[in-house]
Amino acid sequence: MVRANQRDAEFVAFVSTRRQDLVRTAVLLCAGDEATAEDLVQTTLTRLYLSWARVRRADSPIAYARASLTNAFVDEMRRAHRRRESTLADPTVLLVREEGARAPDPDLQRLVLAALAELGPRQRAVVVLRHWHDLDTAETARILGCSVGTVKSQNARALARLRQVLGTVQQDLLVGLG
């Protein structure tokens, strides 16, 4: 019984220190859909709890958790019966950085989330892992279970699409100012 209590205490400590990071990542993966992000985090935490012995032995439990979260996201997006629900809550609240960080620009956050929503699930996962978490192509490929070349091509296509979407927004803003 002591082992179960110790395991539970370790898991609770991990969740209390890392849940916010997982939620921020999930919000980005879900392009601002807070409800889906929370569901993904809950699914991920359940999976992590069930395999906690393996997670705690990993070189980096948070990297393991992010990989699990990303895989849960990709799996969820593949489901043919997936229903889209919208929320009226402001998902950008979950993107607030740690204490002492500069206050985020809500307009910029909405713009970034809308741009991310234009990407497919795998491209969005590549962008979040590569550019939000600053992972290299090899680690991103390992997490997504694909080749480094696939990560590079998905990243290039995603960035081109983001430039296209954000360029259109920028032009609209300039026309509105002029």
Side-chain angles (χ1 to χ4, degrees):
M1 197 56 147
V2 173
R3 281 187 155 178
N5 288 338
Q6 181 182 359
R7 171 189 138 134
D8 289 350
E10 287 175 358
F11 181 75
V12 167
F14 174 81
V15 170
S16 64
T17 60
R18 296 303 189 158
R19 186 177 187 285
Q20 183 71 18
D21 178 77
L22 293 173
V23 170
R24 278 193 306 251
T25 301
V27 168
L28 288 168
L29 287 170
C30 296
D33 184 346
E34 183 179 347
T36 303
E38 286 288 344
D39 289 347
L40 282 173
V41 170
Q42 190 59 45
T43 298
T44 300
L45 292 176
T46 300
R47 290 177 182 175
L48 293 175
Y49 180 77
L50 294 174
S51 59
W52 185 248
R54 195 171 350 152
V55 175
R56 66 190 282 233
R57 286 191 310 265
D59 291 336
S60 174
I62 188 61
Y64 190 105
R66 286 182 188 141
S68 181
L69 176 69
T70 304
N71 290 331
F73 166 73
V74 171
D75 290 347
E76 181 65 20
M77 294 298 113
R78 284 184 183 147
R79 292 186 182 172
H81 67 277
R82 177 154 168 30
R83 293 186 336 239
R84 287 246 180 228
E85 296 179 15
S86 59
T87 179
L88 297 176
D90 183 7
T92 60
V93 171
L94 295 175
L95 292 176
V96 174
R97 296 203 180 265
E98 289 79 26
E99 288 182 38
R102 178 169 67 91
D105 179 356
D107 293 331
L108 180 60
Q109 286 180 339
R110 278 190 280 282
L111 180 67
V112 169
L113 292 174
L116 284 172
E118 294 289 323
L119 301 177
R122 300 258 320 164
Q123 287 181 349
R124 198 177 314 148
V126 167
V127 168
V128 169
L129 292 172
R130 291 277 296 126
H131 303 288
W132 178 266
H133 289 296
D134 200 28
L135 299 180
D136 62 21
T137 54
E139 183 64 11
T140 302
R142 188 192 64 74
I143 288 171
L144 294 175
C146 63
S147 70
V148 170
T150 299
V151 169
K152 289 178 179 180
S153 66
Q154 291 288 311
N155 190 50
R157 288 184 189 121
L159 292 178
R161 179 68 181 140
L162 289 174
R163 280 187 207 99
Q164 181 183 29
V165 169
L166 294 173
T168 303
V169 170
Q170 183 180 20
Q171 287 175 355
D172 291 344
L173 289 174
L174 291 175
V175 168
L177 292 174

